Amino acid sequence: MEHRCEFDSRKPEVRSSSGFTRHEVTTGHSLEKIGDRNQLKRFIACDLGVEWVTQKPMNASVEAIVGAAYEDGGMEVGKKVVEILEAKEAASAFEQDASVYPPLEDRPTKETICLFDVDGTLTPARGDASPQVLQLLSALRHKCAIGFVGGSDLIKQQEQLGTPEIPVTSLFDFCFSENGLTAFRLGQQLAGQSFIGWLGEDKYKQLVNFCLRYISEIDCPVKRGTFVEFRNGMINISPIGRNCSLRERNDFEAYDKTHQIREKFVAALKEKFSDLGLTFSIGGQISFDVFPTGWDKTHCLQHIEREKKISGVDYKTIHFFGDKTSKGGNDYEIYEDERTVGHSVRNPEDTMKELKKMFDL
């Protein structure tokens, strides 16, 4: 599909009430049907470091945003914005195709399910799934059941895999957020559990207070905000702070590989709270998860095993794809579990390569 942005240099620069210069933008599909201005602005500002877009009003048309992206940000920014639109278009097609997926019990390979980690497996770290990944998952879903299992909450996975118009729970047969402590089957939420209910308020406060004191003494290049993120089934600890930009995230990952900031932090927590029955799992680029032992990603497998009583489908082959499969990584336990067939991948492209080979897609 060809995309271009056309400008008429003979016409004077006219700015609309939204503050954008008017341009004729052709992207090969209807932008009005896509229209997620929040995602466009966030991507351009955070991922590409282009600050002008954060000053633009939220009610600006998508055509104006794309036009301004080409004009103010150059060809690279313009192309990146169009890539977002293509991904959203693919997600929309993915959802529309859902109505023709066979029921779980009628899939050609009905006793097989593929489970995927999110960051680094289906998407770049905290990035969005590409159109190619979504299209491949759609083709795979016609053959067998598919699901994702991630440590993040559903809101983040919605941003990465779905769109504001398309719930991520409609794009997969099984959705396991926070390692399966928040779970969906065919769009319907299943019973969940609470980390703070399990640990208790007093012990939770002791844990958080220790983490904040420890972080205050860490010397790393930058610190931002949201050092402790409370989730339903766990807490996520980030020495740099989850509010860092993509560039800062990448810089911290490189710094951490040299100085083992997270590894030393986890060792201190294990020593201090050895009696609480907690697991500390390093994942992604900037943080690690803390949750009750046994509440790792293998927690989601109970829902898979329960499917036999619901639809009669007995998943005898459970493929799991993840990138943090070494000991200490947040994919390690499910990757090594005897109930799964583990596949260690490096990135979304590697995942696609494996799926094409395994399922003749």
Side-chain angles (χ1 to χ4, degrees):
M1 183 182 297
E2 182 180 351
H3 304 276
R4 68 183 187 276
C5 180
E6 299 178 348
F7 306 106
D8 189 342
S9 59
R10 297 169 297 176
K11 295 181 180 179
E13 295 279 298
V14 179
R15 293 197 175 271
S16 68
S17 59
S18 66
F20 286 96
T21 303
R22 296 181 184 276
H23 289 296
E24 207 177 313
V25 180
T26 303
T27 60
H29 54 264
S30 173
L31 303 182
E32 276 136 2
K33 291 182 180 179
I34 298 172
D36 178 9
R37 305 176 191 97
N38 280 325
Q39 187 179 22
L40 286 172
K41 286 164 67 67
R42 183 175 62 251
F43 182 91
I44 298 169
C46 297
D47 237 24
L48 297 178
V50 181
E51 296 179 0
W52 59 264
V53 77
T54 62
Q55 306 302 319
K56 303 301 181 183
M58 293 307 296
N59 62 353
S61 70
V62 178
E63 287 90 340
I65 291 176
V66 176
Y70 272 103
E71 180 189 25
D72 296 349
M75 186 62 68
E76 179 186 3
V77 174
K79 286 182 177 179
K80 287 292 185 182
V81 172
V82 171
E83 285 177 11
I84 294 176
L85 299 173
E86 289 178 336
K88 290 170 65 59
E89 188 176 52
S92 179
F94 192 6
E95 184 197 40
Q96 292 170 6
D97 204 25
S99 60
V100 298
Y101 294 129
L104 296 176
E105 60 270 25
D106 292 337
R107 306 276 170 96
T109 316
K110 69 177 183 179
E111 293 182 342
T112 294
I113 182 171
C114 289
L115 294 177
F116 303 91
D117 166 55
V118 181
D119 280 341
T121 301
L122 293 181
T123 76
R126 290 300 297 127
D128 298 337
S130 70
Q132 293 78 17
V133 166
L134 292 175
Q135 290 161 3
L136 195 66
L137 290 174
S138 179
L140 178 63
R141 197 176 179 188
H142 282 281
K143 295 194 173 189
C144 67
I146 66 171
F148 71 77
V149 51
S152 295
D153 57 30
L154 187 64
I155 293 174
K156 293 183 179 65
Q157 290 150 353
Q158 172 66 36
E159 292 175 352
Q160 293 177 273
L161 298 170
T163 74
E165 301 84 15
I166 303 171
V168 67
T169 53
S170 70
L171 303 181
F172 294 81
D173 300 303
F174 296 91
C175 300
F176 299 123
S177 303
E178 302 181 55
N179 295 348
L181 293 165
T182 299
F184 287 80
R185 174 190 178 272
L186 300 178
Q188 300 299 312
Q189 187 166 6
L190 306 175
Q193 293 177 274
S194 165
F195 172 63
I196 202 166
W198 178 89
L199 185 62
E201 189 66 50
D202 289 341
K203 291 179 180 178
Y204 172 73
K205 286 191 296 184
Q206 293 173 24
L207 176 63
V208 171
N209 288 341
F210 178 87
C211 289
L212 292 176
R213 282 194 299 269
Y214 189 97
I215 289 170
S216 73
E217 298 175 359
I218 291 176
D219 182 20
C220 57
V222 298
K223 289 185 181 178
R224 295 299 178 250
T226 312
F227 300 102
V228 178
E229 183 177 77
F230 176 74
R231 301 173 182 173
N232 182 56
M234 65 180 70
I235 58 173
N236 180 264
I237 311 296
S238 176
I240 185 178
R242 297 194 61 87
N243 291 353
C244 61
S245 68
L246 180 63
R247 184 176 293 112
E248 292 164 344
R249 173 186 289 266
N250 292 336
D251 290 345
F252 177 81
E253 182 182 30
Y255 184 85
D256 187 46
K257 286 179 180 178
T258 302
H259 296 87
Q260 292 85 48
I261 300 296
R262 291 183 291 175
E263 186 177 331
K264 293 174 183 176
F265 198 162
V266 165
L269 285 166
K270 286 181 176 179
E271 181 179 356
K272 178 67 175 178
F273 298 102
S274 59
D275 61 327
L276 294 188
L278 296 173
T279 292
F280 305 89
S281 182
I282 297 173
Q285 296 175 289
I286 62 169
S287 64
F288 59 90
D289 297 325
V290 183
F291 49 82
T293 299
W295 287 21
D296 52 56
K297 289 185 179 180
T298 61
H299 188 81
C300 77
L301 297 179
Q302 62 181 288
H303 297 296
I304 301 299
E305 294 173 328
R306 201 171 291 142
E307 186 61 32
K308 185 176 181 179
K309 296 181 180 179
I310 300 173
S311 66
V313 177
D314 183 9
Y315 289 115
K316 296 178 179 178
T317 303
I318 303 174
H319 292 287
F320 171 76
F321 298 79
D323 67 315
K324 302 292 185 184
T325 56
S326 299
K327 192 168 184 177
N330 63 357
D331 295 326
Y332 175 75
E333 289 84 3
I334 191 170
Y335 174 79
E336 291 287 341
D337 195 283
E338 62 181 9
R339 292 168 291 180
T340 69
V341 180
H343 304 267
S344 186
V345 296
R346 297 183 298 274
N347 49 49
E349 292 72 28
D350 203 20
T351 302
M352 288 193 292
K353 182 179 178 181
E354 282 287 305
L355 289 175
K356 290 176 181 178
K357 180 173 63 176
M358 290 170 56
F359 292 95
D360 193 28
L361 296 172

